[in-house]
Each structure stands twice: as C-alpha cells, then as structure tokens.
Amino acid sequence: MPDFIAEWLNTNDIFNAMTMMEYWDGMVTTVQLVFLSLVIGLVVAVPLAILRTVRNPFVSGPIWLYTYLFRGTPLLIQLYIIYYGVAQIPGIHETFWWTIFREPFYPALLAFTLNTAAYTTEIIRGAIVATPNGEIEAAKAYGMNWLLRMRRIILPNAARRAVQAYSNEVIFMLHASAIASVVTIVDLTGAARNIYSRFYAPFEAFIFVALCYMALTFMLVFAFRKLENHLLRHQRPLNS
C-alpha cells in the first residue's frame, strides 16, 4: 500500500484500515452470493426453458407456474419466506439440513437462485421460440433429430439473442443482492449499515458503497459487451 494512502487511512475517522477491510469482506460476500446464485440459476434455467417450450401442458404447466410465482412476487418476500419459513418445518432441527440453513447465507442463496432461475428461464424460452422456422426446417432436412437440433442450432442461436436480456438480469441480481443484509448477512450494504451505525455518517458510508456497486456494474457491462461482440462477430462486415 502506498505511504500516502496508509497515512490518509490512519488520519481518517471513517475510512480507516479496519472499515476498509469491512467493506472488502462485504464485497467478497456479495460477489460470492451473486456469482453462485447466477451460476446455479443458469444451470437450472436451461433445461427448464427447453421443457417450457414443450406443448404438453403437464410438462410446461408446472414450469410456467414456478416462473409466474417467482416473477410475480418481490424478491424480499421470497427471502423472508425461505429464511424464516425453513425453521418452521417440523423436524428439520434434527436433520443435517439445519446445519446448512441455520446460516443466513444459504437461505439467501436459495432465494436468489430460485428468483434468477425463474427470470432466466423466461429469457431463454423467449430466445428459443424466436428461432426462425427456416433454420429448424433446414436442420430437419439434414436429418437432425430433436436433440441434435437443440444442441447445434437452437441453443447456440438462442444464446446470441438472449445475451443482452441476460446481462440485465445479472446486473439486477447484483443490485438486488443488497437486500441480503436484512437477514444479518454482512455484504456490501450490511457493511455500510454497520459503519453508519458506528460513526453516524450515512452519506459517507452509503455513497462509498454505491460507488462499489457502480464499479462492479461497469465491470459486468464491459464483460457482457465483450461476450456479445464475440457471439455476434459473424454479423460484422468483412474488411475490404
């Protein structure tokens, strides 16, 4: 650490070394929570989106109901139901599940995962049904079965169409993760709340954490722009 930064931290009441480490730990918790929920949610959403396009209502109906419920209710309410509701399940305190769900991180992870999986399912489903019929007919003409068409034609094209909408979902989940602090998780917002209560400095504490969220958002925007350019590189005109 440069000497002038160390000197400034030592002479500053709010942004000293201890509070900066508290912010850093909160950022690590936020990134872990958001990253894990997005990865698990995406893994769950892809097969659900494919099954959502099936014409059989006994297959697509329960998935529609799941996405409708989780997209139609606030994430904060879902977090409260999971965090406080799991403890009310009869007999759970005597099982190994209680050793997991008594920690607030895992109920929050479950709530965020179910929420983002519902949104991502509809994003991918919309991209799948938007596949031009001509491409599907051409794949059939080549003798591709349903699984091969889905793997080689439909899903790759759906990924190109869904990347913009999915980037918005990722940014939304980053911002929505701020509610994790209401269940005693010390994320970025929780760290700012602790520092505010310690020094009674709301502007310094929350403006700094807002800048941290902005920095993370700009990094996500940059990464998705690079990904979008990579997926859509075939649409760029050739250099003469």
Side-chain angles (χ1 to χ4, degrees):
M1 180 182 296
D3 293 337
F4 72 93
I5 296 180
E7 183 179 355
W8 179 77
L9 290 176
N10 290 330
T11 58
N12 190 280
D13 291 333
I14 300 176
F15 297 105
N16 52 45
M18 183 180 67
T19 58
M20 294 302 291
M21 283 304 301
E22 194 167 348
Y23 274 122
W24 173 255
D25 292 339
M27 180 178 290
V28 170
T29 301
T30 294
V31 171
Q32 287 178 340
L33 186 60
V34 174
F35 177 78
L36 289 174
S37 62
L38 288 171
V39 170
I40 301 173
L42 182 61
V43 171
V44 172
V46 172
L48 289 182
I50 295 173
L51 295 176
R52 178 80 169 81
T53 62
V54 175
R55 296 181 181 274
N56 188 339
F58 293 101
V59 176
S60 60
I63 301 173
W64 171 85
L65 181 61
Y66 155 67
T67 59
Y68 181 82
L69 289 176
F70 278 87
R71 292 167 69 220
T73 55
L75 177 56
L76 179 60
I77 303 301
Q78 298 166 17
L79 177 59
Y80 278 149
I81 290 174
I82 294 175
Y83 179 71
Y84 294 109
V86 168
Q88 307 301 320
I89 299 176
I92 193 172
H93 294 267
E94 288 74 31
T95 66
F96 76 96
W97 289 108
W98 183 241
T99 61
I100 299 175
F101 282 98
R102 69 181 177 183
E103 299 294 332
F105 182 87
Y106 295 102
L109 177 62
L110 179 59
F112 289 174
T113 299
L114 293 174
N115 184 273
T116 189
Y119 280 93
T120 307
T121 296
E122 290 300 320
I123 291 172
I124 299 175
R125 184 201 69 85
I128 290 175
V129 298
T131 304
N133 289 329
E135 296 181 7
I136 298 176
E137 294 300 326
K140 290 181 180 179
Y142 271 98
M144 294 184 184
N145 56 27
W146 178 86
L147 183 61
L148 197 59
R149 291 197 304 271
M150 188 65 66
R151 184 168 63 89
R152 291 188 176 181
I153 305 297
I154 299 176
L155 286 181
N157 289 339
R160 298 186 182 98
R161 286 186 291 271
V163 64
Q164 288 183 342
Y166 184 66
S167 66
N168 293 330
E169 168 61 16
V170 171
I171 294 172
F172 166 78
M173 282 304 304
L174 172 63
H175 295 166
S177 68
I179 68 172
S181 61
V182 303
V183 291
T184 71
I185 295 178
V186 185
D187 61 343
L188 268 174
T189 305
R193 185 176 296 173
N194 292 342
I195 292 168
Y196 157 61
S197 63
R198 191 181 309 150
F199 297 99
Y200 300 100
F203 289 105
E204 292 87 345
F206 289 108
I207 288 176
F208 180 78
V209 83
L211 294 176
C212 293
Y213 278 112
M214 287 180 61
L216 292 173
T217 300
F218 288 148
M219 287 189 289
L220 288 174
V221 170
F222 178 79
F224 273 101
R225 184 172 298 174
K226 289 294 185 181
L227 177 61
E228 185 179 354
N229 290 336
H230 175 73
L231 293 176
L232 301 179
R233 65 188 183 277
H234 63 285
Q235 296 182 355
R236 293 197 296 265
L238 296 175
N239 294 328
S240 58

PDB file of all heavy atoms in Angstrom, residues 30-42 105-106 109 113 116:
ATOM      1  N   THR A  30     -20.739 -10.350  -1.199  1.00  0.00           N
ATOM      2  CA  THR A  30     -21.681 -10.002  -2.266  1.00  0.00           C
ATOM      3  C   THR A  30     -21.346 -10.725  -3.558  1.00  0.00           C
ATOM      4  O   THR A  30     -22.227 -11.296  -4.211  1.00  0.00           O
ATOM      5  CB  THR A  30     -21.673  -8.476  -2.490  1.00  0.00           C
ATOM      6  OG1 THR A  30     -22.182  -7.824  -1.336  1.00  0.00           O
ATOM      7  CG2 THR A  30     -22.523  -8.104  -3.687  1.00  0.00           C
ATOM      8  N   VAL A  31     -20.081 -10.705  -3.949  1.00  0.00           N
ATOM      9  CA  VAL A  31     -19.668 -11.359  -5.190  1.00  0.00           C
ATOM     10  C   VAL A  31     -19.912 -12.866  -5.110  1.00  0.00           C
ATOM     11  O   VAL A  31     -20.398 -13.478  -6.071  1.00  0.00           O
ATOM     12  CB  VAL A  31     -18.188 -11.044  -5.491  1.00  0.00           C
ATOM     13  CG1 VAL A  31     -17.683 -11.889  -6.650  1.00  0.00           C
ATOM     14  CG2 VAL A  31     -18.014  -9.562  -5.807  1.00  0.00           C
ATOM     15  N   GLN A  32     -19.596 -13.472  -3.977  1.00  0.00           N
ATOM     16  CA  GLN A  32     -19.836 -14.912  -3.825  1.00  0.00           C
ATOM     17  C   GLN A  32     -21.320 -15.233  -3.942  1.00  0.00           C
ATOM     18  O   GLN A  32     -21.705 -16.176  -4.655  1.00  0.00           O
ATOM     19  CB  GLN A  32     -19.311 -15.390  -2.478  1.00  0.00           C
ATOM     20  CG  GLN A  32     -17.809 -15.459  -2.369  1.00  0.00           C
ATOM     21  CD  GLN A  32     -17.345 -15.899  -0.995  1.00  0.00           C
ATOM     22  OE1 GLN A  32     -18.096 -15.812  -0.015  1.00  0.00           O
ATOM     23  NE2 GLN A  32     -16.116 -16.354  -0.891  1.00  0.00           N
ATOM     24  N   LEU A  33     -22.153 -14.480  -3.263  1.00  0.00           N
ATOM     25  CA  LEU A  33     -23.590 -14.741  -3.270  1.00  0.00           C
ATOM     26  C   LEU A  33     -24.179 -14.573  -4.655  1.00  0.00           C
ATOM     27  O   LEU A  33     -24.951 -15.421  -5.132  1.00  0.00           O
ATOM     28  CB  LEU A  33     -24.278 -13.803  -2.268  1.00  0.00           C
ATOM     29  CG  LEU A  33     -25.768 -14.005  -2.020  1.00  0.00           C
ATOM     30  CD1 LEU A  33     -26.033 -15.403  -1.477  1.00  0.00           C
ATOM     31  CD2 LEU A  33     -26.282 -12.959  -1.037  1.00  0.00           C
ATOM     32  N   VAL A  34     -23.819 -13.500  -5.336  1.00  0.00           N
ATOM     33  CA  VAL A  34     -24.357 -13.236  -6.667  1.00  0.00           C
ATOM     34  C   VAL A  34     -23.819 -14.252  -7.675  1.00  0.00           C
ATOM     35  O   VAL A  34     -24.567 -14.792  -8.497  1.00  0.00           O
ATOM     36  CB  VAL A  34     -24.025 -11.805  -7.103  1.00  0.00           C
ATOM     37  CG1 VAL A  34     -24.442 -11.561  -8.551  1.00  0.00           C
ATOM     38  CG2 VAL A  34     -24.723 -10.801  -6.200  1.00  0.00           C
ATOM     39  N   PHE A  35     -22.528 -14.527  -7.617  1.00  0.00           N
ATOM     40  CA  PHE A  35     -21.921 -15.452  -8.577  1.00  0.00           C
ATOM     41  C   PHE A  35     -22.521 -16.848  -8.454  1.00  0.00           C
ATOM     42  O   PHE A  35     -22.912 -17.463  -9.463  1.00  0.00           O
ATOM     43  CB  PHE A  35     -20.410 -15.503  -8.365  1.00  0.00           C
ATOM     44  CG  PHE A  35     -19.706 -16.491  -9.256  1.00  0.00           C
ATOM     45  CD1 PHE A  35     -19.455 -16.198 -10.586  1.00  0.00           C
ATOM     46  CD2 PHE A  35     -19.297 -17.722  -8.760  1.00  0.00           C
ATOM     47  CE1 PHE A  35     -18.806 -17.107 -11.416  1.00  0.00           C
ATOM     48  CE2 PHE A  35     -18.651 -18.638  -9.568  1.00  0.00           C
ATOM     49  CZ  PHE A  35     -18.404 -18.332 -10.911  1.00  0.00           C
ATOM     50  N   LEU A  36     -22.615 -17.370  -7.236  1.00  0.00           N
ATOM     51  CA  LEU A  36     -23.147 -18.719  -7.045  1.00  0.00           C
ATOM     52  C   LEU A  36     -24.616 -18.797  -7.466  1.00  0.00           C
ATOM     53  O   LEU A  36     -25.032 -19.769  -8.124  1.00  0.00           O
ATOM     54  CB  LEU A  36     -22.997 -19.148  -5.591  1.00  0.00           C
ATOM     55  CG  LEU A  36     -21.572 -19.443  -5.119  1.00  0.00           C
ATOM     56  CD1 LEU A  36     -21.546 -19.725  -3.627  1.00  0.00           C
ATOM     57  CD2 LEU A  36     -20.988 -20.613  -5.891  1.00  0.00           C
ATOM     58  N   SER A  37     -25.413 -17.798  -7.106  1.00  0.00           N
ATOM     59  CA  SER A  37     -26.829 -17.830  -7.477  1.00  0.00           C
ATOM     60  C   SER A  37     -27.012 -17.754  -8.983  1.00  0.00           C
ATOM     61  O   SER A  37     -27.881 -18.435  -9.551  1.00  0.00           O
ATOM     62  CB  SER A  37     -27.578 -16.689  -6.785  1.00  0.00           C
ATOM     63  OG  SER A  37     -27.075 -15.429  -7.195  1.00  0.00           O
ATOM     64  N   LEU A  38     -26.187 -16.962  -9.668  1.00  0.00           N
ATOM     65  CA  LEU A  38     -26.302 -16.853 -11.125  1.00  0.00           C
ATOM     66  C   LEU A  38     -25.870 -18.143 -11.818  1.00  0.00           C
ATOM     67  O   LEU A  38     -26.519 -18.584 -12.774  1.00  0.00           O
ATOM     68  CB  LEU A  38     -25.463 -15.672 -11.627  1.00  0.00           C
ATOM     69  CG  LEU A  38     -26.005 -14.282 -11.314  1.00  0.00           C
ATOM     70  CD1 LEU A  38     -24.976 -13.227 -11.655  1.00  0.00           C
ATOM     71  CD2 LEU A  38     -27.305 -14.017 -12.057  1.00  0.00           C
ATOM     72  N   VAL A  39     -24.784 -18.730 -11.363  1.00  0.00           N
ATOM     73  CA  VAL A  39     -24.301 -19.962 -11.997  1.00  0.00           C
ATOM     74  C   VAL A  39     -25.305 -21.098 -11.797  1.00  0.00           C
ATOM     75  O   VAL A  39     -25.694 -21.784 -12.760  1.00  0.00           O
ATOM     76  CB  VAL A  39     -22.914 -20.347 -11.434  1.00  0.00           C
ATOM     77  CG1 VAL A  39     -22.522 -21.747 -11.892  1.00  0.00           C
ATOM     78  CG2 VAL A  39     -21.870 -19.344 -11.882  1.00  0.00           C
ATOM     79  N   ILE A  40     -25.744 -21.305 -10.558  1.00  0.00           N
ATOM     80  CA  ILE A  40     -26.712 -22.370 -10.295  1.00  0.00           C
ATOM     81  C   ILE A  40     -28.033 -22.075 -10.999  1.00  0.00           C
ATOM     82  O   ILE A  40     -28.665 -22.969 -11.576  1.00  0.00           O
ATOM     83  CB  ILE A  40     -26.924 -22.542  -8.783  1.00  0.00           C
ATOM     84  CG1 ILE A  40     -25.606 -22.889  -8.100  1.00  0.00           C
ATOM     85  CG2 ILE A  40     -27.960 -23.632  -8.504  1.00  0.00           C
ATOM     86  CD1 ILE A  40     -25.687 -22.904  -6.583  1.00  0.00           C
ATOM     87  N   GLY A  41     -28.449 -20.806 -10.968  1.00  0.00           N
ATOM     88  CA  GLY A  41     -29.699 -20.442 -11.635  1.00  0.00           C
ATOM     89  C   GLY A  41     -29.654 -20.673 -13.121  1.00  0.00           C
ATOM     90  O   GLY A  41     -30.643 -21.120 -13.723  1.00  0.00           O
ATOM     91  N   LEU A  42     -28.517 -20.388 -13.754  1.00  0.00           N
ATOM     92  CA  LEU A  42     -28.390 -20.620 -15.198  1.00  0.00           C
ATOM     93  C   LEU A  42     -28.416 -22.105 -15.523  1.00  0.00           C
ATOM     94  O   LEU A  42     -29.052 -22.522 -16.504  1.00  0.00           O
ATOM     95  CB  LEU A  42     -27.095 -19.985 -15.709  1.00  0.00           C
ATOM     96  CG  LEU A  42     -26.826 -20.094 -17.210  1.00  0.00           C
ATOM     97  CD1 LEU A  42     -27.932 -19.404 -18.011  1.00  0.00           C
ATOM     98  CD2 LEU A  42     -25.465 -19.500 -17.550  1.00  0.00           C
ATOM     99  N   PHE A 105     -26.523 -17.318   4.964  1.00  0.00           N
ATOM    100  CA  PHE A 105     -26.008 -17.282   3.594  1.00  0.00           C
ATOM    101  C   PHE A 105     -26.778 -18.233   2.692  1.00  0.00           C
ATOM    102  O   PHE A 105     -27.099 -17.886   1.546  1.00  0.00           O
ATOM    103  CB  PHE A 105     -24.516 -17.637   3.588  1.00  0.00           C
ATOM    104  CG  PHE A 105     -23.890 -17.576   2.226  1.00  0.00           C
ATOM    105  CD1 PHE A 105     -23.380 -16.382   1.728  1.00  0.00           C
ATOM    106  CD2 PHE A 105     -23.794 -18.710   1.424  1.00  0.00           C
ATOM    107  CE1 PHE A 105     -22.799 -16.321   0.476  1.00  0.00           C
ATOM    108  CE2 PHE A 105     -23.211 -18.663   0.182  1.00  0.00           C
ATOM    109  CZ  PHE A 105     -22.710 -17.468  -0.297  1.00  0.00           C
ATOM    110  N   TYR A 106     -27.091 -19.424   3.178  1.00  0.00           N
ATOM    111  CA  TYR A 106     -27.689 -20.446   2.319  1.00  0.00           C
ATOM    112  C   TYR A 106     -29.174 -20.193   2.032  1.00  0.00           C
ATOM    113  O   TYR A 106     -29.614 -20.416   0.892  1.00  0.00           O
ATOM    114  CB  TYR A 106     -27.458 -21.831   2.925  1.00  0.00           C
ATOM    115  CG  TYR A 106     -25.995 -22.183   2.955  1.00  0.00           C
ATOM    116  CD1 TYR A 106     -25.259 -22.087   4.138  1.00  0.00           C
ATOM    117  CD2 TYR A 106     -25.329 -22.568   1.802  1.00  0.00           C
ATOM    118  CE1 TYR A 106     -23.915 -22.379   4.164  1.00  0.00           C
ATOM    119  CE2 TYR A 106     -23.977 -22.872   1.816  1.00  0.00           C
ATOM    120  CZ  TYR A 106     -23.273 -22.779   3.004  1.00  0.00           C
ATOM    121  OH  TYR A 106     -21.932 -23.050   3.018  1.00  0.00           O
ATOM    122  N   LEU A 109     -28.953 -17.604  -0.595  1.00  0.00           N
ATOM    123  CA  LEU A 109     -28.514 -18.203  -1.856  1.00  0.00           C
ATOM    124  C   LEU A 109     -29.657 -18.948  -2.535  1.00  0.00           C
ATOM    125  O   LEU A 109     -29.844 -18.849  -3.755  1.00  0.00           O
ATOM    126  CB  LEU A 109     -27.340 -19.155  -1.592  1.00  0.00           C
ATOM    127  CG  LEU A 109     -26.811 -19.927  -2.809  1.00  0.00           C
ATOM    128  CD1 LEU A 109     -26.278 -18.968  -3.863  1.00  0.00           C
ATOM    129  CD2 LEU A 109     -25.722 -20.914  -2.377  1.00  0.00           C
ATOM    130  N   THR A 113     -31.229 -17.839  -6.054  1.00  0.00           N
ATOM    131  CA  THR A 113     -31.131 -18.813  -7.140  1.00  0.00           C
ATOM    132  C   THR A 113     -32.494 -19.088  -7.761  1.00  0.00           C
ATOM    133  O   THR A 113     -32.639 -19.108  -8.986  1.00  0.00           O
ATOM    134  CB  THR A 113     -30.515 -20.125  -6.620  1.00  0.00           C
ATOM    135  OG1 THR A 113     -29.202 -19.865  -6.127  1.00  0.00           O
ATOM    136  CG2 THR A 113     -30.438 -21.160  -7.726  1.00  0.00           C
ATOM    137  N   THR A 116     -33.599 -15.839  -9.773  1.00  0.00           N
ATOM    138  CA  THR A 116     -32.919 -15.608 -11.044  1.00  0.00           C
ATOM    139  C   THR A 116     -33.168 -16.746 -12.026  1.00  0.00           C
ATOM    140  O   THR A 116     -33.219 -16.528 -13.237  1.00  0.00           O
ATOM    141  CB  THR A 116     -31.407 -15.411 -10.824  1.00  0.00           C
ATOM    142  OG1 THR A 116     -30.810 -14.975 -12.054  1.00  0.00           O
ATOM    143  CG2 THR A 116     -30.730 -16.681 -10.370  1.00  0.00           C
TER     144      THR A 116
END
